[in-house]
């Protein structure tokens, strides 16, 4: 049987075992025996979560139920954004590629066991 949280108006929070059929029914306060309603206590992590993370989670939840469909217009918008840059500072890594005198590729300081083509 699961444990449910209840709140007495005089004595505050308490918890009781109850069957799943009785999940919505009030329980008697252990101190004063008055019927007290069930309450749902939220995790403190939800209240302390950064605003950006909450927004990202809401956006993901919305996307799950309202997926965006690819259209000619949306593809054109994405192509324009890629031409102008996405705004984040991507840095291209300098390649360590070198060629030997015979024309073979060589990657110094890379994985020596890796075979190049």
């Amino acid at each position: 049987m699961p444990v449910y949280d209840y709140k007495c108006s005089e004595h505050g929070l308490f918890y009781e075992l109850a069957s799943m059929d009785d999940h919505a029914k009030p329980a008697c306060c252990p101190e004063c025996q008055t019927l007290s309603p069930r309450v749902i206590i939220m995790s403190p992590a939800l209240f302390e979560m950064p605003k950006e993370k909450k927004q990202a989670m809401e956006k993901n939840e919305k996307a799950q139920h309202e997926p965006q469909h690819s259209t000619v217009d949306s593809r054109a918008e994405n192509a324009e954004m890629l031409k102008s840059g996405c705004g984040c500072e991507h840095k291209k890594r300098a390649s360590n590629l070198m060629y030997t005198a015979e024309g073979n590729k060589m990657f110094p300081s890379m994985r020596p066991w890796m075979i190049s083509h």
Side-chain angles (χ1 to χ4, degrees):
M1 282 199 309
V3 175
Y4 295 109
D5 297 310
Y6 299 91
K7 185 172 183 179
C8 175
S9 58
E10 286 185 40
H11 301 102
L13 292 172
F14 66 95
Y15 59 90
E16 290 290 328
L17 286 171
S19 68
M20 293 178 85
D21 292 336
D22 298 335
H23 74 279
K25 295 179 182 175
C28 292
C29 174
E31 294 183 34
C32 63
Q33 301 303 317
T34 59
L35 285 178
S36 303
R38 180 176 167 218
V39 293
I40 297 174
I41 300 174
M42 295 189 80
S43 167
L46 292 176
F47 292 114
E48 297 169 1
M49 185 183 301
K51 182 177 115 179
E52 294 81 16
K53 187 171 182 179
K54 279 185 187 178
Q55 289 173 341
M57 290 175 72
E58 288 170 4
K59 185 176 181 181
N60 287 340
E61 183 68 25
K62 182 179 178 186
Q64 177 183 1
H65 301 294
E66 299 174 17
Q68 293 180 347
H69 299 284
S70 178
T71 63
V72 174
D73 295 333
S74 67
R75 287 191 294 272
E77 281 180 27
N78 289 338
E80 286 299 318
M81 187 182 348
L82 288 175
K83 286 180 188 173
S84 63
C86 60
C88 55
E89 305 273 330
H90 290 293
K91 295 180 183 176
K92 289 190 176 183
R93 194 175 68 155
S95 174
N96 292 331
L97 174 64
M98 298 177 113
Y99 290 94
T100 63
E102 295 86 31
N104 298 326
K105 290 181 184 177
M106 183 175 89
F107 298 92
S109 76
M110 298 298 277
R111 301 176 184 111
W113 61 87
M114 194 169 141
I115 299 173
S116 177
H117 302 293

